[in-house]
Amino acid sequence: MPTTRIAALGHHQPSRVLTNDDLAGMVETTDAWIRQRTGIVTRRIADEESVTDLAAAAAGKALAASGLDPRDIGLVTVATCSAVDRCPSVAAQVAGRLGVPSAVAFDLNNGCAGFCTALATAEHSVRAGAARHALVIGAERMSDVTDWSDRSTCVLLGDGAGAAVVSAVPDGGEGDAPGIGPVVWGSDPARGDAVRLLDEWRPRFRQEGQTVFRWVTTELPDVAREACRRYGITPDGLAGVVTHQANLRIIESLVRSLELPPEVVVARDVVDSGNTSAASVPLALAKLVERREVPAGAPVLLLSFGGGLSWAGQVVACP
């Protein structure tokens, strides 16, 4: 079987910025209240762009950065929980827009854990030989499912997309090319109601914030350590950490529990982008790479978690 790598990344966000002060004019809240509890300052909101528009823009950038022809792509998958279209899938529509012919295309809904789940699914397919190159996209228009009268959730959410090209690397083909480590994934269905989009034709996001916070900060550190172990390193050997950008306080608590050295780069895109669900990990990773904050080939932990309650994470060598 070939090994795999992330060959390229891309990201896209809507142009409209929604500030904390804007939200203070909509619900009973303040900039200080939001910053203290979430760390979020701004988020991006799509006015006209659909989930498919966001996904196609990010995927197009990743495909261009990879240098591949659209005909080289054998699999397209979009992680999303906010897509309006059920069929054709967002992935199929993205493939059509980018001129990708005959690829298997499907959407994957695992809530905020969606991107890392989709990355592992695509990586397994590439390693098994079902495709040589895959497009993996996380795209969300969470503003569509936001209850703008609920200050506990409306301050959190934003829109955006991130994408990765996953490619096969035959043994001896590219030396120390960036690789994708084994996934650690699972779910805790007994606590699935803690994050939900249920029971409505036009669903609204609901969350039991304290339940999620306790779950992430007490149970997810072991998932992170196991992902590192399967890659062959310990957490202090990481060069970067990109978790789901749920809430800055959650990220900071999770990082503290791993006792990482100060030089490890920790993604904090949530401050400017809010919680973009399945889009948050690829969006934050693409920006980290764009700014070249982590050297190419250095190990980076990706860790996503959320509705289900589900989780998925893996260590990758930074593209």
Side-chain angles (χ1 to χ4, degrees), residues 143-181:
S143 58
D144 274 351
V145 296
T146 299
D147 181 349
W148 294 104
S149 67
D150 177 9
R151 76 166 185 171
S152 68
T153 58
C154 74
V155 301
L156 299 173
L157 304 173
D159 303 334
V165 174
V166 174
S167 295
V169 182
D171 288 344
E174 298 192 28
D176 295 326
I180 301 172

Side-chain angles (χ1 to χ4, degrees), residues 17-70:
V17 177
L18 187 69
T19 69
N20 291 345
D21 288 332
D22 293 331
L23 284 166
M26 300 163 59
V27 293
E28 186 179 348
T29 190
T30 64
D31 173 62
W33 188 91
I34 298 170
R35 289 185 189 230
Q36 179 183 3
R37 286 161 178 78
T38 72
I40 298 170
V41 178
T42 61
R43 67 286 293 145
R44 300 293 186 94
I45 302 297
D47 291 320
E48 301 296 333
E49 292 171 290
S50 66
V51 171
T52 300
D53 294 331
L54 298 170
K61 293 174 184 177
L63 183 59
S66 73
L68 295 170
D69 187 277

